[in-house]
């Protein structure tokens, strides 16, 4: 039985706790959160104990940790967990600073512990199928990837201040998907962005609408479209053009029912937000982590993927600021 400590009892932590409860070979032993009431509530639900970081990491019966606390705590918890010899599931990003992230990778390399970084979209059944078809060369050589990712509504402006901004917080998922689907590292990034949705986001120093173009050394292209507002629901689509055809992953709808009358056809909207849209992806992600801890498989996304996606996000920030394409090493 793999005993797990969960850092963070918020929205994402609750998702991971629920998914962990479905794993026959693992159990939630500890919950750690600065908000005692949230920690107690989640721990009680799954038969766990509330404790401190120190006690959890000192417990030799704890083999793994899930870091789902606030972004500014990720790096320290990752390094302390690695030093204690625990396998690590860390929500993205590892840190908002590239050098701090590199230091975390050095710690992971030195300790040799397993680390999965939470790029959950790789686990989505549609996207996973799309990736497998690319691997099988079902549409020949990849030439262009188009990723659309739009939230149903903007977050509060005070969240923007601590999140790292649209490129590091929201688009980082799409940048990871771009690397995964292109099969090559982008070497050039061009970004343009505006604040069209909420003036308060602009006053907080961020943008809410952005387009990014990535280019690989061989010339493959990817365009990412992000917006903090899509009034029709959570817009999550991918299209890949290859030398021999095209693949499309469309939105998951609230219902597949379509009503057709003499007035026309009417169907459902896309699922509302990420909790609904990626529920299955979160389950597969947690299962992959437990398998990795048991030595049955490797993490589908690891610490290097976390670093590379952040590097692309930083390049996008610089490009949007300067209006110039940025080379990526």
């Amino acid at each position: 039985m793999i005993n797990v400590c969960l850092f963070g009892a918020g929205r994402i932590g609750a998702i991971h706790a629920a998914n962990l409860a479905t794993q026959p070979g693992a159990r939630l032993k500890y919950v750690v959160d600065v908000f005692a009431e949230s920690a107690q509530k989640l721990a009680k639900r799954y038969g766990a104990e509330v404790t401190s970081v120190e006690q959890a990491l000192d417990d030799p019966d704890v083999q793994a940790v899930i870091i789902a606390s606030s972004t500014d705590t990720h790096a320290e918890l990752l390094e302390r967990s690695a030093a204690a010899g625990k396998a690590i599931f860390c929500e993205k990003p590892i840190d908002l600073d590239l050098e701090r992230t590199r230091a975390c990778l050095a710690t992971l390399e030195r300790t040799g512990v397993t680390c999965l970084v939470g790029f959950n979209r790789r686990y989505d059944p549609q996207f996973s199928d799309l990736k497998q078809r690319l691997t099988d060369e079902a549409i020949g050589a990849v030439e262009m990837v188009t990723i659309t990712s739009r939230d149903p509504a903007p977050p509060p402006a005070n969240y923007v201040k601590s999140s790292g901004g649209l490129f590091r917080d929201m688009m980082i998922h799409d940048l990871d998907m771009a690397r995964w689907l292109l099969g090559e590292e982008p070497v050039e990034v061009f970004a343009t962005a505006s604040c069209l949705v909420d003036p308060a986001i602009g006053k907080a120093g961020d943008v809410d609408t952005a387009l990014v173009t990535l280019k690989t050394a061989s010339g493959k292209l990817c365009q990412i479209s992000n917006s903090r507002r899509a009034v029709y629901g959570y817009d999550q689509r991918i299209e890949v053009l290859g030398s021999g055809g095209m693949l499309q992953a469309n939105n998951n709808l609230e219902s597949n029912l379509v009503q057709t009358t003499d007035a026309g056809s009417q169907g459902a909207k896309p699922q509302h937000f990420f909790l609904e849209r990626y529920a299955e992806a979160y389950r597969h992600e947690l299962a992959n982590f437990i398998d990795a801890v048991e030595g049955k498989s490797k993490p589908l996304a690891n610490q290097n993927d976390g670093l590379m996606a952040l590097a692309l996000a930083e390049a996008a920030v610089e490009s949007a600021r300067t209006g110039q394409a940025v080379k990526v090493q």
Side-chain angles (χ1 to χ4, degrees):
M1 180 64 66
I2 296 171
N3 292 304
V4 180
C5 172
L6 173 65
F7 296 117
R11 184 167 56 175
I12 298 299
I15 291 172
H16 294 318
N19 289 331
L20 186 64
T22 69
Q23 294 295 311
R27 75 179 185 100
L28 183 62
K29 184 170 185 180
Y30 295 125
V31 177
V32 179
D33 197 291
V34 293
F35 297 103
E37 185 177 348
S38 298
Q40 289 285 357
K41 183 178 179 180
L42 196 62
K44 182 178 180 181
R45 185 183 306 164
Y46 296 106
E49 300 176 45
V50 175
T51 190
S52 65
V53 174
E54 293 76 15
Q55 183 177 342
L57 295 182
D58 285 344
D59 187 341
D61 288 335
V62 172
Q63 295 96 342
V65 303
I66 298 173
I67 301 174
S69 47
S70 60
T71 295
D72 59 354
T73 67
H74 288 186
E76 181 182 352
L77 287 172
L78 184 149
E79 290 184 324
R80 292 178 66 178
S81 299
K86 315 299 185 185
I88 300 164
F89 178 144
C90 183
E91 275 297 338
K92 64 81 194 167
I94 293 172
D95 195 77
L96 295 173
D97 180 76
L98 274 173
E99 289 309 311
R100 185 75 175 93
T101 301
R102 289 190 179 100
C104 287
L105 264 66
T107 298
L108 291 167
E109 178 72 21
R110 185 173 64 253
T111 58
V113 301
T114 294
C115 181
L116 182 150
V117 173
F119 286 126
N120 63 299
R121 296 181 189 180
R122 293 190 182 205
Y123 297 88
D124 175 72
Q126 274 200 96
F127 298 162
S128 180
D129 187 16
L130 188 152
K131 171 64 174 177
Q132 186 58 54
R133 295 191 191 204
L134 294 180
T135 301
D136 294 340
E137 299 184 344
I139 59 167
V142 173
E143 295 175 350
M144 296 178 68
V145 176
T146 304
I147 300 174
T148 300
S149 181
R150 299 167 184 156
D151 288 353
N158 60 353
Y159 168 82
V160 169
K161 293 178 181 179
S162 61
S163 71
L166 181 145
F167 293 110
R168 300 183 190 91
D169 173 56
M170 178 181 177
M171 190 181 286
I172 196 168
H173 278 291
D174 306 304
L175 295 167
D176 176 68
M177 288 297 291
R179 294 181 57 244
W180 193 49
L181 297 176
L182 286 167
E184 296 179 18
E185 296 295 344
V187 297
E188 185 178 278
V189 179
F190 178 76
T192 185
S194 302
C195 190
L196 302 175
V197 177
D198 184 357
I201 290 177
K203 290 179 181 178
D206 196 22
V207 297
D208 54 35
T209 310
L211 290 171
V212 166
T213 300
L214 309 172
K215 187 175 184 179
T216 71
S218 70
K220 295 179 183 180
L221 299 173
C222 176
Q223 186 171 70
I224 299 171
S225 171
N226 272 187
S227 174
R228 292 287 195 181
R229 178 180 60 198
V231 296
Y232 47 87
Y234 193 41
D235 195 353
Q236 299 288 288
R237 291 172 286 140
I238 296 177
E239 178 182 290
V240 182
L241 179 67
S243 58
M246 179 176 67
L247 288 168
Q248 291 175 302
N250 293 316
N251 282 317
N252 286 3
L253 305 180
E254 292 176 344
S255 169
N256 289 324
L257 182 66
V258 177
Q259 175 180 305
T260 303
T261 68
D262 58 356
S265 295
Q266 183 176 3
K269 298 187 297 183
Q271 290 175 312
H272 177 64
F273 207 13
F274 70 93
L275 294 179
E276 299 87 358
R277 172 63 182 83
Y278 290 117
E280 193 168 357
Y282 281 118
R283 289 193 290 271
H284 290 307
E285 181 181 46
L286 198 282
N288 177 222
F289 177 59
I290 298 303
D291 283 348
V293 176
E294 293 177 336
K296 296 177 181 178
S297 65
K298 293 182 179 180
L300 188 54
N302 61 27
Q303 61 268 27
N304 186 64
D305 296 307
L307 175 67
M308 297 305 294
L310 181 62
L312 292 175
E314 290 294 336
V317 170
E318 180 66 11
S319 178
R321 184 185 69 81
T322 63
Q324 303 293 319
V326 173
K327 298 292 183 182
V328 182
Q329 301 296 324

